[in-house]
Amino acid sequence: MTARYVRKARRTGAAALLVATLAFSAAACGGDDDGGGQDKGASSSTASRDSGKAQSKSDGTPETGTVLATVKGDAGVEMVITSATRDSGGFVTVNGQIKNTGGEVYTTPVQWGGEEEALADADRSFAGMTLVDSKAKKRYYVLRDTDNRPLTTSGYEPSIEAGATLTFFAQFPAPEASTHEVGVQFPGFPNATIEISG
């Protein structure tokens, strides 16, 4: 074996080792807890937005099969809450669906977006939803991002066709760790009591 061949083999081995080391480093950095300098609320809300959009099967039933509460609203619509999960970042994310069980098109009310003037020009949203901790006598409103946009499903169509489903999510500040049950209040629906998991 010539010295030239040995040098070439060593260079090839060193290059392969360097590539493997860089790949391992990139994978390790990808799991960094601080999100690579991004705002934790923003990254959490993005994940929740994505999960909120994919919570139902083609027939409109929740993928998990769990239902925390079902309440009937006006004009033949139902609100079905499928999960309320507390995460380590201090948020509670509520997922669910609005089902039009009636025989006519349902026009979504503007009250769903909340009554705050700051949201008057915003897209249609679920910012009017609140969580109520009756024992602690506290009400929790939908969180906002740095541009004052509510961290909830928004920009949906102004109407829901008969038999159709609108999947939603909404993020709130987490109640005290000892609180496991809250009420959900949303315009046009009676109060729904749900259990927080996590």
Side-chain angles (χ1 to χ4, degrees):
M1 185 180 295
T2 66
R4 181 177 175 185
Y5 180 80
V6 171
R7 283 196 300 273
K8 184 175 180 183
R10 284 182 183 167
R11 279 197 300 269
T12 304
L17 180 60
L18 180 61
V19 168
T21 303
L22 289 173
F24 177 77
S25 298
C29 290
D32 193 14
D33 286 339
D34 67 5
Q38 292 181 341
D39 179 55
K40 288 184 180 180
S43 61
S44 177
S45 66
T46 302
S48 296
R49 284 180 203 273
D50 294 341
S51 67
K53 289 177 182 174
Q55 283 294 311
S56 61
K57 298 177 184 176
S58 58
D59 63 357
T61 58
E63 283 189 357
T64 59
T66 9
V67 173
L68 300 183
T70 300
V71 289
K72 294 187 181 297
D74 52 10
V77 291
E78 288 182 350
M79 178 170 64
V80 180
I81 300 174
T82 56
S83 67
T85 309
R86 185 192 306 265
D87 70 19
S88 58
F91 307 106
V92 167
T93 303
V94 174
N95 287 290
Q97 301 167 336
I98 304 293
K99 295 182 176 182
N100 183 355
T101 58
E104 298 180 0
V105 173
Y106 176 77
T107 302
T108 59
V110 294
Q111 290 85 357
W112 285 9
E115 297 180 356
E116 296 179 50
E117 289 183 11
L119 298 174
D121 296 328
D123 281 340
R124 289 175 295 278
S125 74
F126 283 72
M129 185 176 288
T130 58
L131 297 185
V132 178
D133 181 353
S134 55
K135 289 184 179 178
K137 298 182 179 177
K138 291 183 179 178
R139 181 182 299 272
Y140 298 91
Y141 294 86
V142 171
L143 290 166
R144 309 289 175 78
D145 65 14
T146 53
D147 295 321
N148 203 37
R149 292 178 301 223
L151 297 180
T152 177
T153 300
S154 60
Y156 49 83
E157 295 298 321
S159 59
I160 305 173
E161 297 293 327
T165 299
L166 170 61
T167 302
F168 71 85
F169 85 95
Q171 278 193 331
F172 303 87
E176 299 294 328
S178 58
T179 299
H180 301 290
E181 195 174 83
V182 292
V184 177
Q185 294 185 348
F186 192 52
F189 294 90
N191 187 67
T193 302
I194 60 171
E195 188 172 337
I196 299 174
S197 62

